[in-house]
Amino acid sequence: MKKPENCVIVIFGASGDLTKRKLIPAIYDLYKQNNLPERFAVLGTASSQFDTKEFRQLMGEAIVESDKDSPDNKVAEFTGKLHYFPMDFKNAEGYEKLSKEIHSLSGTCGSECNYIYYLATIPALFPEITLNLGKAGLNKSAGGFCRIIVEKPFGYDLNSAIELNKVMHGVFEEDQIYRIDHYLGKETVQNIMVTRFANGIFEPIWNRNYIHHIEVTSSENIGIENRGGYYETAGALRDMVQSHLLRLVTLIAMEPPSSFDSDAVRNEQLKVLQSLRKLKPEEVDSNVIRGQYISSVINGNIVKAYREEKGVDPESRVETYAAIKFYIDNWRWGSVPFYIRTGKHLPTRVTEAVIHFRKTPHYLFKESQNNSDNQLILRIQPDEGILLKFGMKEPGSGFKVHNVSMDFHYKDITNVYIPEAYERLIYDCMVGDSTLFLRADAVEEAWKFVEPIQKAWTDNGSVKIYGYPAGTWGPDVADKLIDGGDNTSWRYPCKNLADDGIYCEL
Ligand code: BG6
């Protein structure tokens, strides 16, 4: 792999959960894999009053927590490159001091230093930090590069995303801005493009003539954990649909790009987002199901209702589940329904896309009751892999058809190091590859799809929100959303890729 140029990475929001659980372990993994520059430093900044020693100690513990087998000397060597600078992000004067701190660290990486700023704070601070970086002259580096990574959610709705883009473009050029969606850093998500564009067999059937419908599920078996404050401002629609689920849809639906150049790929993804049919206000109730988990007992333990979680309004109408039926208005996908769903406290943690192919036009094997469709399942997590379901003859007399599965599991490729999503993305930013990051126009288009739904929910108090007991597959009415009258139903995925149904290992 190409060695990145020497750089200083500045993390805003360094005392937060994301830094501890994802960013520092990811940078450490890059270090272990020898994929960091020869000379680098990480400067964490937040309002918490630690000193560098305490920060190193905390981050060291976080690394060991995520990688139990890490040798102590390696961790100590790495944490020696970490520094901490406490500051109030709202105080403009603090940025002058920050600038001095950053420049004092530049010595670690030589005279032509490069800078990466990682905004991992609450989103409300993104504009202020960006403007202050500009005022302190930290948006450019003499002789080197200067890039900024912005965490999701990018904006709260269409207008705030446009506004944030304007603020960012006032300080940084578009090619300096790396809007992150960690799903794009997942190997299995990138593999959707490889499956489609490195194999000749899929393209001829990857369209409305052969595909009946497509479902994408991203379910989690945890609740909102301690993120009540954030989640009340987000809900499943903003937290998962506007970002991760629409990313998966664009990769499944995009046209082959002319090259694997960052702009060529992102242009094709943009076209999908532009072709999403926006729902009219009166269509929202019948095409979008929103749910909220209510209390239940899972494995003998009482699980709190969403409304009883810390930081949540006891009368909250924020959705912890969303399922949407929609269409993509272009030649490839005209009339093919797409179904997406996501939720907290569902039975299991699974993200996958199921491509349902059309059934045979005339079914010959009357002894078999079910003329099942063929399905191609692209499993993002867990038990990462690909599964093809099709009918085979049951041995014996007559012609009875039995459904079988042919599967590939990533875990079968041994000796291949699979980087974590954040590791891949931070590396890409260091080497200046923005293919797996979002362009301003794509973020705005995604909001355009989501906004009519948000609006219908806020404007029309009669649009229902359904309760579902924690640990179930969401509101029952979501089953009707996908029922095309032809035994179509959601796949109920299990932990193991090849299994599905209500009764399986979760
Ligand atoms: C985050 C959301 O972006 O993605 C979380 O804010 C969600 O609510 C998480 O839990 C899911 O990510 P993953 O990688 O665990 O599927």
Side-chain angles (χ1 to χ4, degrees):
M1 279 169 76
K2 185 172 152 194
K3 200 82 171 153
E5 289 172 40
N6 298 339
C7 72
V8 175
I9 304 176
V10 184
I11 303 178
F12 291 84
S15 59
D17 211 41
L18 183 71
T19 304
K20 198 168 72 184
R21 283 195 311 114
K22 300 285 181 190
L23 306 185
I24 293 291
I27 301 173
Y28 171 70
D29 281 336
L30 285 169
Y31 181 68
K32 252 188 8 188
Q33 298 298 318
N34 203 19
N35 284 332
L36 281 185
E38 287 311 325
R39 291 195 279 170
F40 77 95
V42 177
L43 176 65
T45 170
S47 57
S48 305
Q49 294 294 323
F50 313 128
D51 57 21
T52 288
K53 194 167 160 225
E54 284 164 310
F55 184 61
R56 288 180 178 170
Q57 169 78 25
L58 285 172
M59 295 303 118
E61 286 164 13
I63 293 168
V64 175
E65 177 78 35
S66 82
D67 180 357
K68 303 255 179 314
D69 301 327
S70 237
D72 290 352
N73 58 343
K74 200 84 187 157
V75 177
E77 219 174 80
F78 171 77
T79 53
K81 313 263 186 198
L82 307 183
H83 304 262
Y84 187 77
F85 179 76
M87 74 178 281
D88 171 3
F89 298 137
K90 295 193 170 168
N91 175 6
E93 285 152 30
Y95 290 79
E96 293 300 328
K97 291 194 188 132
L98 176 72
S99 168
K100 286 198 186 115
E101 190 72 20
I102 294 175
H103 288 117
S104 78
L105 287 176
S106 310
T108 19
C109 69
S111 56
E112 291 188 352
C113 204
N114 302 297
Y115 304 100
I116 293 178
Y117 307 110
Y118 198 121
L119 303 193
T121 61
I122 53 163
L125 288 171
F126 295 168
E128 200 147 12
I129 297 175
T130 307
L131 289 171
N132 281 319
L133 284 173
K135 281 188 203 144
L138 286 166
N139 51 342
K140 41 191 173 293
S141 157
F145 66 71
C146 199
R147 299 179 183 138
I148 183 162
I149 304 182
V150 194
E151 257 301 326
K152 74 163 257 288
F154 195 92
Y156 176 79
D157 54 15
L158 178 59
N159 282 340
S160 56
I162 294 175
E163 199 44 48
L164 182 54
N165 273 329
K166 255 196 223 147
V167 169
M168 302 220 64
H169 287 149
V171 180
F172 293 96
E173 299 296 327
E174 176 63 20
D175 64 4
Q176 291 178 284
I177 307 171
Y178 288 68
R179 296 172 195 79
I180 205 164
D181 180 323
H182 79 276
Y183 265 50
L184 287 175
K186 292 179 191 269
E187 276 296 319
T188 41
V189 172
Q190 294 153 27
N191 193 43
I192 297 175
M193 285 189 281
V194 176
T195 305
R196 290 192 52 205
F197 305 138
N199 298 297
I201 55 170
F202 294 116
E203 174 53 22
I205 54 170
W206 207 262
N207 57 47
R208 66 185 185 287
N209 297 324
Y210 296 92
I211 292 177
H212 183 265
H213 69 279
I214 291 179
E215 51 173 312
V216 179
T217 293
S218 186
S219 71
E220 293 182 273
N221 53 0
I222 51 169
I224 53 153
E225 312 263 80
N226 289 319
R227 299 163 77 216
Y230 156 73
Y231 206 82
E232 278 284 276
T233 64
L237 194 64
R238 291 186 177 92
D239 186 46
M240 292 293 289
V241 174
Q242 191 275 345
S243 49
H244 310 324
L245 269 80
L246 287 186
R247 284 309 75 74
L248 296 175
V249 168
T250 43
L251 297 177
I252 293 164
M254 68 191 275
E255 295 300 317
S258 56
S259 72
F260 214 67
D261 164 78
S262 153
D263 264 329
V265 171
R266 297 190 299 172
N267 285 345
E268 294 310 331
Q269 293 170 349
L270 177 69
K271 287 183 203 160
V272 175
L273 294 167
Q274 288 168 331
S275 310
L276 294 174
R277 191 186 299 171
K278 278 75 190 170
L279 291 170
K280 299 195 182 86
E282 63 277 16
E283 291 170 341
V284 170
D285 208 12
S286 50
N287 289 285
V288 186
I289 305 297
R290 66 170 164 167
Q292 191 187 78
Y293 61 82
I294 56 175
S295 173
S296 79
V297 178
I298 304 178
N299 298 332
N301 301 315
I302 297 177
V303 175
K304 276 190 202 163
Y306 174 70
R307 291 178 183 183
E308 294 163 338
E309 300 271 17
K310 199 168 136 228
V312 172
D313 178 350
E315 291 181 16
S316 175
R317 284 174 71 79
V318 167
E319 75 290 354
T320 58
Y321 173 98
I324 311 177
K325 174 183 182 181
F326 63 93
Y327 292 89
I328 298 179
D329 287 332
N330 62 19
W331 278 42
R332 186 184 287 271
W333 298 114
S335 84
V336 175
F338 280 70
Y339 301 90
I340 56 180
R341 67 177 165 167
T342 182
K344 300 275 185 198
H345 265 321
L346 300 187
T348 190
R349 175 177 182 256
V350 162
T351 301
E352 66 176 27
V354 188
I355 318 295
H356 292 263
F357 292 94
R358 290 191 184 281
K359 292 180 179 174
T360 51
H362 171 58
Y363 196 60
L364 295 174
F365 306 105
K366 307 282 185 240
E367 280 172 61
S368 308
Q369 300 298 311
N370 66 333
N371 173 12
S372 294
D373 58 3
N374 296 129
Q375 297 173 14
L376 180 72
I377 294 143
L378 308 169
R379 177 61 79 92
I380 309 302
Q381 60 194 24
D383 196 10
E384 292 80 0
I386 290 187
L387 172 78
L388 181 65
K389 294 180 116 184
F390 56 99
M392 288 285 288
K393 182 182 177 303
E394 256 186 38
S397 60
F399 283 89
K400 231 172 164 193
V401 180
H402 183 71
N403 290 324
V404 294
S405 299
M406 205 158 73
D407 46 2
F408 155 76
H409 301 258
Y410 266 81
K411 61 176 183 277
D412 296 340
I413 321 179
T414 48
N415 301 327
V416 176
Y417 175 74
I418 301 184
E420 280 291 319
Y422 278 97
E423 185 182 340
R424 164 74 196 250
L425 294 173
I426 293 171
Y427 173 84
D428 280 6
C429 176
M430 285 196 288
V431 296
D433 182 351
S434 52
T435 313
L436 299 176
F437 291 85
L438 308 177
R439 239 171 28 193
D441 46 11
V443 175
E444 290 176 14
E445 281 304 327
W447 280 119
K448 282 185 198 163
F449 174 71
V450 163
E451 192 158 80
I453 305 172
Q454 285 173 320
K455 223 168 143 5
W457 286 352
T458 35
D459 292 357
N460 184 352
S462 68
V463 178
K464 295 176 211 65
I465 175 155
Y466 299 91
Y468 63 94
T472 64
W473 275 108
D476 292 341
V477 306
D479 288 340
K480 297 212 180 79
L481 189 70
I482 204 168
D483 185 3
D486 196 14
N487 287 331
T488 0
S489 69
W490 297 100
R491 172 169 134 102
Y492 289 100
C494 308
K495 195 164 125 204
N496 295 325
L497 168 61
D499 302 335
D500 56 25
I502 307 273
Y503 307 102
C504 60
E505 198 192 338
L506 296 168

